[in-house]
Amino acid sequence: RRTMATLASGTVVEVAGLKARPDLNGKVASVVAYAADRERYQVRMRDGGEELYLREVNLNAASGATEPPPAAAEETAPAPAIMPPSTNVVVDGLKARPDLNGQRATVVSYAADRERYQIRIDASGEELYLRPANVVATA
Protein backbone atom coordinates (compact mmCIF):
# COMPACT_ATOMS: atom_id res chain seq x y z
CA ARG A 1 0.00 0.00 0.00
CA ARG A 2 1.54 3.27 -1.10
CA THR A 3 1.08 6.41 0.94
CA MET A 4 1.66 9.99 -0.07
CA ALA A 5 4.13 12.13 1.81
CA THR A 6 2.30 14.34 4.31
CA LEU A 7 5.34 15.79 6.12
CA ALA A 8 7.15 18.50 4.14
CA SER A 9 10.91 18.73 3.87
CA GLY A 10 12.20 20.77 6.82
CA THR A 11 9.39 19.71 9.17
CA VAL A 12 10.64 19.23 12.72
CA VAL A 13 9.54 15.88 14.15
CA GLU A 14 9.91 13.85 17.32
CA VAL A 15 10.85 10.18 16.93
CA ALA A 16 8.51 7.75 18.73
CA GLY A 17 7.81 4.03 18.99
CA LEU A 18 11.08 2.62 17.62
CA LYS A 19 11.78 -0.89 18.87
CA ALA A 20 15.18 -1.50 17.23
CA ARG A 21 16.53 1.93 18.25
CA PRO A 22 14.71 2.90 21.47
CA ASP A 23 17.59 5.31 22.21
CA LEU A 24 16.14 7.61 19.53
CA ASN A 25 12.59 7.75 20.93
CA GLY A 26 11.81 11.27 22.13
CA LYS A 27 14.67 12.78 20.10
CA VAL A 28 14.12 15.62 17.62
CA ALA A 29 14.84 15.33 13.89
CA SER A 30 14.13 17.21 10.67
CA VAL A 31 12.51 15.70 7.60
CA VAL A 32 14.94 15.70 4.65
CA ALA A 33 12.66 14.06 2.08
CA TYR A 34 10.09 11.32 1.55
CA ALA A 35 11.56 8.18 -0.02
CA ALA A 36 8.55 6.74 -1.87
CA ASP A 37 10.45 3.61 -2.89
CA ARG A 38 10.97 2.76 0.80
CA GLU A 39 7.68 4.23 2.03
CA ARG A 40 9.77 6.01 4.66
CA TYR A 41 10.83 9.54 5.54
CA GLN A 42 14.52 10.37 5.41
CA VAL A 43 15.16 12.31 8.63
CA ARG A 44 18.29 13.94 10.07
CA MET A 45 18.68 13.74 13.84
CA ARG A 46 19.30 17.10 15.52
CA ASP A 47 22.04 15.78 17.81
CA GLY A 48 24.79 14.19 15.77
CA GLY A 49 23.22 14.57 12.33
CA GLU A 50 22.63 10.82 11.85
CA GLU A 51 20.30 10.20 8.91
CA LEU A 52 17.63 7.49 9.09
CA TYR A 53 14.65 6.28 7.11
CA LEU A 54 11.59 6.03 9.34
CA ARG A 55 7.90 5.26 8.86
CA GLU A 56 5.43 8.10 9.34
CA VAL A 57 3.91 6.25 12.31
CA ASN A 58 7.25 6.78 14.12
CA LEU A 59 7.30 10.56 13.55
CA ASN A 60 5.28 13.16 15.46
CA ALA A 61 5.30 16.56 13.76
CA ALA A 62 5.97 19.49 16.06
CA SER A 63 3.13 21.95 15.45
CA GLY A 64 4.08 24.45 12.77
CA ALA A 65 7.81 23.92 13.23
CA THR A 66 9.92 23.82 10.10
CA GLU A 67 13.47 24.70 9.25
CA PRO A 68 14.99 25.47 5.88
CA PRO A 69 15.71 22.34 3.83
CA PRO A 70 19.37 21.53 3.30
CA ALA A 71 20.76 22.86 0.01
CA ALA A 72 20.01 20.61 -2.96
CA ALA A 73 18.28 17.98 -0.80
CA GLU A 74 15.50 17.61 -3.35
CA GLU A 75 17.82 16.97 -6.31
CA THR A 76 20.30 14.52 -4.82
CA ALA A 77 19.84 12.36 -1.77
CA PRO A 78 23.09 12.03 0.17
CA ALA A 79 24.83 8.68 -0.02
CA PRO A 80 24.13 6.63 3.09
CA ALA A 81 26.91 6.50 5.64
CA ILE A 82 28.51 3.08 5.23
CA MET A 83 28.73 0.94 8.35
CA PRO A 84 32.14 -0.72 8.63
CA PRO A 85 32.65 -4.50 8.81
CA SER A 86 32.04 -6.01 12.27
CA THR A 87 29.27 -3.49 13.04
CA ASN A 88 26.52 -5.13 15.13
CA VAL A 89 23.11 -4.72 13.53
CA VAL A 90 19.50 -5.86 13.79
CA VAL A 91 17.50 -6.96 10.74
CA ASP A 92 14.31 -4.92 10.30
CA GLY A 93 11.43 -4.59 7.85
CA LEU A 94 11.97 -7.64 5.62
CA LYS A 95 8.80 -8.73 3.83
CA ALA A 96 10.15 -11.77 1.97
CA ARG A 97 11.95 -13.16 5.06
CA PRO A 98 9.99 -11.89 8.08
CA ASP A 99 11.55 -14.71 10.13
CA LEU A 100 14.80 -12.69 10.10
CA ASN A 101 13.28 -9.45 11.46
CA GLY A 102 14.67 -8.74 14.92
CA GLN A 103 17.63 -11.08 14.41
CA ARG A 104 21.03 -9.80 15.49
CA ALA A 105 23.68 -9.88 12.78
CA THR A 106 27.14 -8.59 11.92
CA VAL A 107 28.15 -6.56 8.87
CA VAL A 108 30.62 -8.50 6.70
CA SER A 109 30.98 -5.80 4.03
CA TYR A 110 29.12 -3.21 1.97
CA ALA A 111 28.67 -4.17 -1.68
CA ALA A 112 28.49 -0.75 -3.35
CA ASP A 113 27.70 -2.28 -6.76
CA ARG A 114 24.58 -3.91 -5.25
CA GLU A 115 23.85 -1.11 -2.77
CA ARG A 116 23.50 -3.81 -0.12
CA TYR A 117 25.18 -4.85 3.10
CA GLN A 118 26.51 -8.38 3.27
CA ILE A 119 25.57 -9.54 6.76
CA ARG A 120 25.97 -12.71 8.80
CA ILE A 121 23.09 -13.70 11.09
CA ASP A 122 24.65 -14.28 14.53
CA ALA A 123 22.43 -17.23 15.53
CA SER A 124 22.63 -19.27 12.30
CA GLY A 125 25.73 -18.01 10.48
CA GLU A 126 23.60 -17.46 7.36
CA GLU A 127 25.01 -14.74 5.09
CA LEU A 128 22.84 -12.54 2.91
CA TYR A 129 22.70 -9.14 1.23
CA LEU A 130 20.24 -6.57 2.57
CA ARG A 131 19.34 -2.99 1.71
CA PRO A 132 20.59 -0.34 4.13
CA ALA A 133 16.96 0.33 5.13
CA ASN A 134 16.75 -3.23 6.49
CA VAL A 135 19.93 -3.07 8.59
CA VAL A 136 19.85 -1.04 11.83
CA ALA A 137 23.06 -0.49 13.81
CA THR A 138 22.93 -1.41 17.49
CA ALA A 139 24.91 0.06 20.35
Side-chain angles (χ1 to χ4, degrees):
R1 144 184 110 93
R2 296 270 176 205
T3 58
M4 295 301 292
T6 57
L7 298 173
S9 178
T11 301
V12 176
V13 294
E14 180 180 323
V15 177
L18 294 181
K19 294 181 179 76
R21 292 288 306 272
D23 57 303
L24 296 177
N25 292 332
K27 299 276 172 93
V28 176
S30 298
V31 173
V32 175
Y34 181 71
D37 58 324
R38 297 178 177 201
E39 296 182 16
R40 304 260 190 295
Y41 284 91
Q42 178 183 359
V43 299
R44 181 176 295 117
M45 300 306 297
R46 278 272 178 85
D47 56 356
E50 180 180 8
E51 291 197 2
L52 305 160
Y53 290 86
L54 301 175
R55 294 181 304 186
E56 185 169 5
V57 69
N58 297 116
L59 301 173
N60 296 323
S63 56
T66 61
E67 58 186 39
E74 298 300 322
E75 295 95 33
T76 58
I82 307 301
M83 291 184 276
S86 301
T87 300
N88 294 320
V89 296
V90 172
V91 177
D92 180 54
L94 293 181
K95 293 183 175 89
R97 293 284 310 271
D99 56 302
L100 294 177
N101 291 333
Q103 291 284 317
R104 294 191 175 277
T106 305
V107 172
V108 175
S109 66
Y110 181 75
D113 59 324
R114 299 170 87 167
E115 296 182 353
R116 303 280 192 278
Y117 282 102
Q118 179 183 2
I119 65 156
R120 182 179 305 112
I121 302 295
D122 293 347
S124 66
E126 178 182 1
E127 289 192 9
L128 52 147
Y129 290 86
L130 298 178
R131 293 181 198 170
N134 299 116
V135 180
V136 180
T138 60

